[in-house]
Amino acid sequence: MKIFFSSLLTLMLVVSATAQDKEHGYWQQKVDYKMEVDMDVKSFQLSGKQELKYTNNSPDELDKVFYHLFFNAFQPGSEMDVRSRTIEDPDGRVGDRISKLSPTEIGYTMPTSLTQDGKKVKFEVIGTVLKVELNEPIKPGKSTTFKMDWTGQVPVQVRRSGRNNAEGVALSMTQWYPKLAEYDDEGWHADPYIAREFYGVWGDFDVTIKIDDAYTIGGTGYLQNPNEIGHGYTQKGVKPMKSKNGKHTWHFVAPNVHDFTWVADPNYVHDTFDGPNGVKLHFFYKNKPEIAENWKNLQPITAKLMEYYNQNIGEYPYKQYSVIQGGDGGMEYAMSTLITGERKFGSLVGVTAHEMAHTWFQFLLATNESKHEWMDEGFTSYISDEAMNVVMDEKKPNPQAGNYRGYISLAKSGKEQPQTTHADRYASNRAYGISAYSKGAVMMSQLGYIIGEENLKKTIKRYFDEWSFKHPKPMDFIRVAERVSVFELDWYLMDWTQTTNTIDYAIKDVSSEGNKTMVTLERIGLMGMPIDLDVTYEDGSQEQFYIPLRMQYASKPNPYPNQKRTELKDWPWAFPTYELEISNGKKVKSMVIDASQHMADIDRDNNSYGIEE
Ligand SMILES: [Zn+2]
């Protein structure tokens, strides 16, 4: 009996491993959506019915739940409106535009009825959030069903979602439905929608959309009735059915995602292209001759980009991905992206590369991007810059150089805030942008400097293996890096992401006596780092001296296996200076700290000796 029970238990653990890693104390909520919406393309209003099965995998009893009602942000006087006007460097796309929306132009999502397991529940709309007091608390391990009717109006496109964007795309339907807020081991995340970014509950979506039959829809999910619909989805030789009363009913399912987006326009070209591993790539773009060539040329490159991410992060797990002209720049969604399409070719590819990379860093590795924006934007920027260098053959010696420059300029400006700042609560859009994107990318790139490139590559893949379809946090990422590299890295996570401490090392003094050269290095910045010191001798030969930071308790593998490297004793962080002696009989011509420039030293002027500028 004992054996039987334990093997049964093992089986159960394996089956539920993705959502419930109870062995390690990890759990996550689950929600399954069934939605039916009827869209009026003339008034931009919609009516919706939503049935939501919510499973409480937490150890807590829940007596309330929260939903996001994102469209409510697009109303004069909303938090998004006021913040967009009062921040020191307003986003040009938003500015004061929300304050000028008329009642027929605003957005709203308005629940009209809500039940829990068939009984009415009390709810309250608080700006962009719906607060629901439950009749029956949801016990740990139990499920409950919410049914909601709602009406909505699609706002004039200001930011991300909306009607009639700048390039004339009719409906960019992102954040368009009442979306359950996430509850995790830190509690509820019912963030108001002020400017940016999301966090959602994993689950399965079943969505039907009734819309004027002239419109083509693209977005999250697999179309279940392609032969009925047509619009580029029909199998070869199949003639689509005639619509009823001028409307088609589109039926989509999307398994294991945490968002559902769709875009509709009566004037889309819809192309498909075979991506890696049988993934079907879909492209939706306006039928305008001046953009057609770029959008055709984008298709094989999108396939190559996906291949790059598959190989360098982990396999794309769905059967479909769509690049859709819509929105207001570039924004990632489940199984799709919305980008503006009237761009130069390089920019079209660059944005696609970035947004598609978000499929891995946010959609699959679903961090709370309001709290840990650098794990979302930063890791995405890192990997898409690497991908562009390879796929577009850019031949940049350091594809991350721009990210280092951006970070260093912010660090020296005195306007930097720690990366632990909530994405909405930076003093300026610039401070947010550089911190999330550039400093976030440097976080990854510089980790390669510390633990070595090979260890970094392994870390990224193992991070994906262990944390895709979950909600990883900063500690989860760094623990993977520690396990892969056997380095202690808590100091790196802490100083880099939780403080504004900066890195500044210098060659303080060099003197020689006979054939001996004495060097004094200095740590000027508060943040400690291991040091690669590259020395060139008078005879033209080179040698690298490696000085581990004491508190990392490990050594980086030699980054240049064809070149001599000498590992020196470690440098305890608290010591401001470090002495080394080169006594191999060779005369030193020049030396430089971090020749690779992968350490984010904010003052490189003091990093070298004997090199004429
Ligand atoms: Zn991004």
Side-chain angles (χ1 to χ4, degrees):
M1 278 305 273
K2 253 188 176 159
I3 293 162
F4 171 75
F5 264 111
S6 67
S7 58
L8 188 69
L9 197 68
T10 312
L11 189 73
M12 281 160 67
L13 280 172
V14 168
V15 167
S16 61
T18 48
Q20 304 311 314
D21 193 358
K22 291 229 161 94
E23 230 178 323
H24 298 95
Y26 182 81
W27 52 266
Q28 68 190 23
Q29 305 294 70
K30 179 163 201 301
V31 64
D32 294 325
Y33 285 84
K34 202 167 167 7
M35 292 193 279
E36 288 170 24
V37 285
D38 194 342
M39 183 77 223
D40 181 335
V41 297
K42 295 214 168 66
S43 66
F44 297 99
Q45 291 176 351
L46 62 100
S47 61
K49 283 183 189 302
Q50 183 189 69
E51 185 180 320
L52 197 153
K53 187 182 172 208
Y54 183 50
T55 305
N56 178 16
N57 290 318
S58 84
D60 309 319
E61 189 169 293
L62 303 177
D63 58 2
K64 57 178 182 284
V65 299
F66 293 91
Y67 291 70
H68 298 282
L69 308 173
F70 295 110
F71 273 1
N72 292 356
F74 302 101
Q75 298 174 6
S78 71
E79 279 195 80
M80 183 186 258
D81 172 31
V82 174
R83 176 66 173 160
S84 303
R85 285 185 280 127
T86 52
I87 195 164
E88 65 179 61
D89 56 346
D91 182 329
R93 290 169 293 201
V94 187
D96 62 355
R97 288 180 61 211
I98 298 174
S99 72
K100 293 178 174 161
L101 296 176
S102 73
T104 56
E105 292 174 332
I106 62 166
Y108 59 77
T109 297
M110 212 157 52
T112 50
S113 77
L114 181 59
T115 61
Q116 178 195 3
D117 297 327
K119 289 189 203 126
K120 283 198 163 153
V121 279
K122 267 206 288 198
F123 58 87
E124 184 189 357
V125 175
I126 308 167
T128 57
V129 168
L130 181 75
K131 185 181 175 193
V132 182
E133 306 279 355
L134 301 180
N135 298 332
E136 287 291 323
I138 316 167
K139 295 216 155 40
K142 296 288 180 233
S143 297
T144 195
T145 301
F146 296 105
K147 283 190 185 170
M148 186 195 290
D149 292 342
W150 90 94
T151 58
Q153 179 167 289
V154 185
V156 164
Q157 209 266 346
V158 175
R159 188 78 179 94
R160 301 193 180 97
S161 327
R163 60 171 111 147
N164 301 331
N165 83 346
E167 299 180 345
V169 172
L171 291 164
S172 298
M173 299 295 286
T174 69
Q175 303 149 259
W176 57 279
Y177 61 94
K179 180 173 178 175
L180 197 76
E182 184 58 298
Y183 181 86
D184 64 16
D185 60 347
E186 297 171 339
W188 282 103
H189 296 277
D191 289 14
Y193 183 33
I194 294 175
R196 45 182 74 101
E197 313 264 335
F198 315 107
Y199 189 41
V201 190
W202 284 103
D204 300 332
F205 284 70
D206 182 311
V207 181
T208 53
I209 302 163
K210 230 188 230 179
I211 192 168
D212 185 300
D213 61 10
Y215 284 64
T216 303
I217 296 182
T220 307
Y222 308 118
L223 184 61
Q224 299 300 293
N225 53 342
N227 291 338
E228 202 176 305
I229 296 293
H231 287 274
Y233 287 96
T234 319
Q235 286 157 13
K236 271 209 174 83
V238 178
K239 237 187 122 180
M241 280 158 64
K242 239 183 115 57
S243 60
K244 272 191 208 132
N245 308 324
K247 280 193 169 187
H248 273 314
T249 301
W250 301 62
H251 181 205
F252 292 97
V253 299
N256 217 3
V257 290
H258 52 84
D259 192 47
F260 189 97
T261 286
W262 58 284
V263 187
D265 192 86
N267 196 28
Y268 266 146
V269 177
H270 174 195
D271 292 338
T272 56
F273 190 93
D274 288 331
N277 304 332
V279 173
K280 190 67 93 181
L281 302 174
H282 292 248
F283 297 84
F284 300 87
Y285 53 98
K286 296 287 283 189
N287 191 2
K288 286 187 186 171
E290 59 272 29
I291 63 168
E293 194 187 335
N294 278 355
W295 277 80
K296 291 277 182 210
N297 291 339
L298 176 65
Q299 297 172 18
I301 295 174
T302 306
K304 281 187 193 160
L305 287 164
M306 180 173 273
E307 185 65 47
Y308 184 91
Y309 299 136
N310 280 347
Q311 282 174 8
N312 289 281
I313 316 172
E315 195 108 325
Y316 182 76
Y318 307 106
K319 289 181 285 194
Q320 172 190 313
Y321 184 82
S322 300
V323 183
I324 308 168
Q325 184 181 7
D328 61 359
M331 182 67 197
E332 69 278 13
Y333 299 100
M335 299 162 73
S336 61
T337 174
L338 267 64
I339 64 175
T340 46
E342 295 174 9
R343 303 163 171 273
K344 290 208 170 95
F345 187 62
S347 163
L348 190 67
V349 173
V351 177
T352 303
H354 179 95
E355 305 308 337
M356 188 195 248
H358 272 301
T359 293
W360 283 263
F361 295 118
Q362 214 289 316
F363 265 96
L364 295 167
L365 293 153
T367 46
N368 179 345
E369 47 186 339
S370 299
K371 286 191 76 169
H372 312 302
E373 51 272 17
W374 55 274
M375 298 177 79
D376 160 44
E377 295 302 348
F379 289 0
T380 291
S381 298
Y382 169 82
I383 204 77
S384 59
D385 289 347
E386 296 290 321
M388 284 289 283
N389 203 40
V390 172
V391 170
M392 297 298 281
D393 197 22
E394 290 178 333
K395 297 195 168 62
K396 290 180 181 165
N398 178 7
Q400 307 299 328
N403 292 321
Y404 281 85
R405 275 198 301 277
Y407 157 68
I408 289 167
S409 83
L410 179 66
K412 288 163 98 168
S413 73
K415 300 228 171 193
E416 191 194 355
Q417 292 169 258
Q419 285 181 314
T420 46
T421 306
H422 187 285
D424 281 324
R425 299 201 277 277
Y426 282 84
S428 64
N429 282 319
R430 179 174 183 267
Y432 158 78
I434 296 179
S435 176
Y437 290 73
S438 309
K439 192 181 184 186
V442 173
M443 200 287 173
M444 190 73 106
S445 175
Q446 187 169 246
L447 181 61
Y449 170 79
I450 299 166
I451 65 178
E453 282 302 315
E454 286 310 308
N455 280 331
L456 176 64
K457 285 187 176 137
K458 282 185 205 156
T459 296
I460 293 171
K461 287 182 185 172
R462 186 154 159 194
Y463 176 49
F464 180 83
D465 286 346
E466 291 184 9
W467 287 98
S468 54
F469 295 106
K470 294 183 188 170
H471 294 306
K473 292 182 188 168
M475 188 60 84
D476 301 318
F477 172 72
I478 216 71
R479 291 290 293 127
V480 172
E482 287 190 336
R483 289 188 185 109
V484 166
S485 68
V486 304
F487 276 57
E488 291 293 304
L489 294 165
D490 52 337
W491 59 273
Y492 182 53
L493 183 69
M494 193 173 284
D495 278 45
W496 191 254
T497 70
Q498 300 169 19
T499 77
T500 54
N501 290 353
T502 51
I503 301 160
D504 181 13
Y505 280 90
I507 298 175
K508 192 178 187 205
D509 192 50
V510 180
S511 61
S512 44
E513 210 182 274
N515 273 343
K516 272 193 216 158
T517 306
M518 276 77 71
V519 183
T520 306
L521 303 178
E522 184 179 18
R523 176 181 61 74
I524 301 168
L526 268 177
M527 184 165 173
M529 285 293 278
I531 298 296
D532 286 348
L533 182 72
D534 284 52
V535 172
T536 304
Y537 297 107
E538 294 280 5
D539 65 8
S541 62
Q542 291 184 315
E543 179 171 6
Q544 184 172 84
F545 292 91
Y546 172 62
I547 308 168
L549 181 68
R550 177 171 287 180
M551 60 188 158
Q552 71 191 29
Y553 300 111
S555 299
K556 169 169 70 174
N558 184 1
Y560 312 108
N562 301 325
Q563 189 184 303
K564 183 170 160 49
R565 185 180 77 160
T566 305
E567 185 172 330
L568 302 172
K569 69 178 191 310
D570 59 18
W571 183 342
W573 168 82
F575 298 0
T577 57
Y578 183 98
E579 315 274 338
L580 69 115
E581 190 181 279
I582 301 170
S583 51
N584 52 15
K586 292 188 177 188
K587 273 211 155 55
V588 171
K589 182 168 173 252
S590 65
M591 62 182 93
V592 60
I593 294 172
D594 179 30
S596 75
Q597 305 206 349
H598 277 66
M599 181 173 92
D601 191 313
I602 62 160
D603 180 6
R604 290 200 212 275
D605 289 348
N606 56 22
N607 283 24
S608 54
Y609 160 84
I611 294 171
E612 273 158 43
E613 294 288 311

